[in-house]
Amino acid sequence: MLHLRLIVPADRTDEVVGVIEKTVGTTHLVVVDGACRDPAGDLVLCDVAREAGDGLIADLRALGLDRCGSIAVEEIGLSLSTRAEQAEKDAPGEGADAVLWEQMQEATHEESTLSVTYVAFLALATMIAACGVVLDNAILIVGAMAVGPEFGPLAGICTALVQRKPKLAARSLIALVVGFLAAMALTVLFSLTMDAAGLFTDDMLHGDRPNTGFVYAPDWFSFVVGLLAGAAGTLSLTSAKSGALVGVAISVTTVPAAANAAVALSYGDLTQTKGSIEQLLLNLLAIVLAGTATLLAQKAFWARQRRRTGRTA
């Protein structure tokens, strides 16, 4: 269930309440006249089944409530109410399958913004992966994958393509490209420093690496895994199952490929650098394609569900 807190101009309250009352899956409607001061208006509270939430929010925005008042949405962790249970039964579909597009856009906006923290996480993840590829240590590779924050901008690109948000697409693309370039540049410096300290050597990079040699050898399996990971990651974001995102992060070769490219470049190995960059781009492309396709499928499904609900009502 979702909890909506609305600030509504007094002359629009009846209209807003009418929209809420006709939405299948809403309950616990409360109206407090004149309770709001900034902006001035009435306070309207209600709960709505997650699967009906996106439609209700879209209808409220269509009334301009986001401009003349306020729409705040919170997840309800526990709701002990027979009325709430009935609202969830009445709403179409399953809550776990529902997509809240406004929430998705807000989340990807935050995660896809180029910031010092984002670059720092990506650079640190790439440096950890650099240690992993030189030492041929799979544990370090997995750890680096989990630390990398690159799925945020990738999800932002997918969302922007589906929702036709050019500004979000540009912001996400900038964060992705600049972030990886900065991380790789810093990792080149890190590799040179480790070489000067005698911790990295040319022989370690070009020796037998059964655990990490795949990061500079792209193939069709890399593309297939990227597609599967892109679909799984998108589903984890839209269904609020963020725990699954960790599994997605450690299944694709993005950060390790960037790390291997940086280390190889520091030793002048253009062959490994080229192969690693190809691996990186292949995985990024696969994630974007699968993520976009997943969002398009979800959007079509819920549009159909909404039309069906309208006919039933």
Side-chain angles (χ1 to χ4, degrees):
M1 293 290 289
L2 302 173
H3 178 68
L4 270 63
R5 186 183 74 251
L6 312 175
I7 298 178
V8 186
D11 60 341
R12 307 291 300 277
T13 300
D14 291 342
E15 190 177 12
V16 169
V17 169
V19 169
I20 295 173
E21 289 179 333
K22 76 176 184 181
T23 300
V24 178
T26 58
T27 187
H28 303 154
L29 177 61
V30 177
V31 179
V32 184
D33 295 333
C36 304
R37 295 291 180 267
D38 185 19
D42 301 333
L43 176 65
V44 179
L45 308 172
C46 72
D47 295 340
V48 60
R50 181 181 175 86
E51 51 269 41
D54 188 65
L56 177 57
I57 294 170
D59 290 341
L60 293 173
R61 293 198 68 183
L63 294 177
L65 188 58
D66 55 326
R67 297 186 296 273
C68 64
S70 171
I71 304 173
V73 183
E74 299 174 345
E75 296 274 357
I76 299 177
L78 176 64
S79 178
L80 303 177
S81 168
T82 303
R83 297 291 295 273
E85 292 177 1
Q86 187 60 49
E88 289 185 318
K89 291 179 181 178
D90 293 339
E94 295 293 332
D97 298 331
V99 181
L100 295 177
W101 290 103
E102 300 297 336
Q103 185 182 59
M104 184 74 175
Q105 290 180 34
E106 184 65 26
T108 53
H109 177 277
E110 181 179 350
E111 295 295 329
S112 62
T113 301
L114 184 64
S115 63
V116 174
T117 301
Y118 166 79
V119 174
F121 268 114
L122 190 55
L124 290 171
T126 308
M127 292 176 191
I128 294 172
C131 296
V133 297
V134 170
L135 297 174
D136 194 40
N137 189 315
I139 295 176
L140 291 177
I141 292 294
V142 170
M145 289 175 171
V147 173
E150 73 278 8
F151 196 84
L154 290 169
I157 292 173
C158 298
T159 303
L161 291 175
V162 174
Q163 294 293 90
R164 298 179 182 179
K165 302 284 187 180
K167 290 185 178 179
L168 177 59
R171 183 187 303 110
S172 301
L173 186 60
I174 290 172
L176 193 67
V177 173
V178 175
F180 267 111
L181 289 177
M184 292 171 68
L186 291 171
T187 303
V188 169
L189 296 176
F190 173 75
S191 178
L192 293 173
T193 302
M194 294 291 280
D195 179 77
L199 298 176
F200 282 7
T201 65
D202 185 86
D203 291 340
M204 295 170 73
L205 178 67
H206 295 99
D208 187 25
R209 291 163 50 192
N211 294 320
T212 59
F214 68 93
V215 299
Y216 59 89
D219 54 23
W220 280 108
F221 280 106
S222 300
F223 188 70
V224 171
V225 171
L227 290 174
L228 297 175
T234 302
L235 285 174
S236 74
L237 290 178
T238 58
S239 64
K241 295 185 181 297
S242 58
L245 195 56
V246 177
V248 173
I250 63 177
S251 64
V252 289
T253 314
T254 50
V255 166
N260 198 85
V263 175
L265 185 62
S266 70
Y267 283 103
D269 186 340
L270 299 183
T271 300
Q272 279 201 35
T273 300
K274 180 176 178 291
S276 300
I277 292 176
E278 289 177 353
Q279 178 78 277
L280 172 62
L281 295 177
L282 186 65
N283 277 268
L284 295 178
L285 176 63
I287 292 172
V288 170
L289 289 177
T292 303
T294 301
L295 289 177
L296 286 172
Q298 290 179 295
K299 187 174 184 178
F301 172 77
W302 281 103
R304 182 182 176 188
Q305 288 287 87
R306 208 176 166 197
R307 288 194 298 269
R308 182 182 299 173
T309 303
R311 288 196 298 269
T312 302

